Amino acid sequence: MKKIIQLTLSIIMISNLSNGYSQNINEAIQNIRKNFAAIESSITNGDYQKKTVEFENSENNEYGSITFYYNNKTLKKIVYDLVINEENNQKTSFYVNNEKLFFVFHESTAPKVINQTKMEYHYAEKRFYFKDDQPIRCLLKEYKKDSGIKETKNEISGETANKEVNCNEALIYLKQFEDLMLRKDKAL
């Protein structure tokens, strides 16, 4: 009987700890969303300075740009645009608060020729939420658009659910962010 009571108490404690952890994650995500919205609003309003650096790697048939958004001299966002083989588009937006990464939004588009009159576009959207340099939630949304469909990419995206995924890939974006941070002072 004593073991049953101890086991029951242990389960209750673990459940309470888990609920507290989940609540902290949800609060952190709400704060991330607020910071994200504030940055996007400031960019839309033209409140930030922006500096764009273009690059080309003809060896790998890649080109693109890196855009840094600053509030005075405080970095708020980095957009890394990459085009591979003239058709595969990758766009990664890194959101920054106090020089720490808190959110990454990655979009990719890859066309696929079905036949002479039909194209299909494959899209992926990845969202990575960070707290204290650690990923706390990672989401993936994948969908495709047939060239004959009248719905827009945004409409299809809005109808497609995110899936929670393993956060191992988030570490790649964290490393890419660290590399981009080394370039930020050169962009000023």
Side-chain angles (χ1 to χ4, degrees), residues 51-66:
K51 175 68 178 168
T52 301
V53 179
E54 295 189 6
F55 63 88
E56 183 174 343
N57 182 342
S58 55
E59 218 173 88
N60 292 333
N61 201 19
E62 299 175 344
Y63 64 90
S65 64
I66 305 168

Side-chain angles (χ1 to χ4, degrees), residues 5-178:
I5 292 172
Q6 286 177 332
L7 180 61
T8 304
L9 288 174
S10 296
I11 291 171
I12 291 170
M13 285 178 53
I14 290 170
S15 176
N16 286 339
L17 286 173
S18 174
N19 287 340
Y21 177 76
S22 178
Q23 185 176 3
N24 287 342
I25 295 286
N26 290 334
E27 287 175 15
I29 289 179
Q30 289 306 315
N31 286 335
I32 289 168
R33 288 179 176 156
K34 285 178 190 172
N35 286 338
F36 167 87
I39 289 170
E40 286 301 312
S41 176
S42 292
I43 289 171
T44 300
N45 293 336
D47 297 337
Y48 291 166
Q49 303 79 41
K50 104 177 171 178
K51 175 68 178 168
T52 301
V53 179
E54 295 189 6
F55 63 88
E56 183 174 343
N57 182 342
S58 55
E59 218 173 88
N60 292 333
N61 201 19
E62 299 175 344
Y63 64 90
S65 64
I66 305 168
T67 303
F68 299 87
Y69 291 88
Y70 295 91
N71 181 12
N72 295 317
K73 291 189 177 198
T74 303
L75 182 66
K76 300 308 253 176
K77 180 179 177 182
I78 304 170
V79 178
Y80 181 75
D81 266 314
L82 178 65
V83 178
I84 306 166
N85 295 323
E86 297 291 330
E87 61 185 11
N88 187 321
N89 297 308
Q90 309 277 323
K91 180 178 180 181
T92 308
S93 298
F94 300 87
Y95 293 83
V96 184
N97 189 22
N98 295 325
E99 300 220 356
K100 285 193 170 265
L101 181 65
F102 70 86
F103 182 66
V104 173
F105 180 63
H106 174 84
E107 302 173 273
S108 65
T109 306
K112 179 180 179 185
V113 177
I114 304 301
N115 59 42
Q116 288 182 338
T117 60
K118 189 174 179 183
M119 283 287 274
E120 192 175 80
Y121 295 90
H122 292 250
Y123 299 97
E125 297 176 5
K126 299 174 185 177
R127 292 166 173 80
F128 301 99
Y129 297 80
F130 290 86
K131 183 177 181 186
D132 299 325
D133 296 325
Q134 295 298 315
I136 57 172
R137 181 167 292 155
C138 302
L139 303 171
L140 171 66
K141 182 187 291 192
E142 294 177 303
Y143 53 97
K144 59 186 172 186
K145 180 184 182 308
D146 186 308
S147 58
I149 294 176
K150 297 214 185 290
E151 275 185 304
T152 67
K153 170 190 174 283
N154 289 340
E155 289 171 334
I156 297 170
S157 174
E159 296 167 359
T160 306
N162 283 304
K163 295 182 293 190
E164 199 133 359
V165 294
N166 184 302
C167 285
N168 287 341
E169 189 177 354
L171 301 177
I172 295 168
Y173 291 96
L174 186 58
K175 173 69 173 120
Q176 187 179 18
F177 169 72
E178 290 168 355

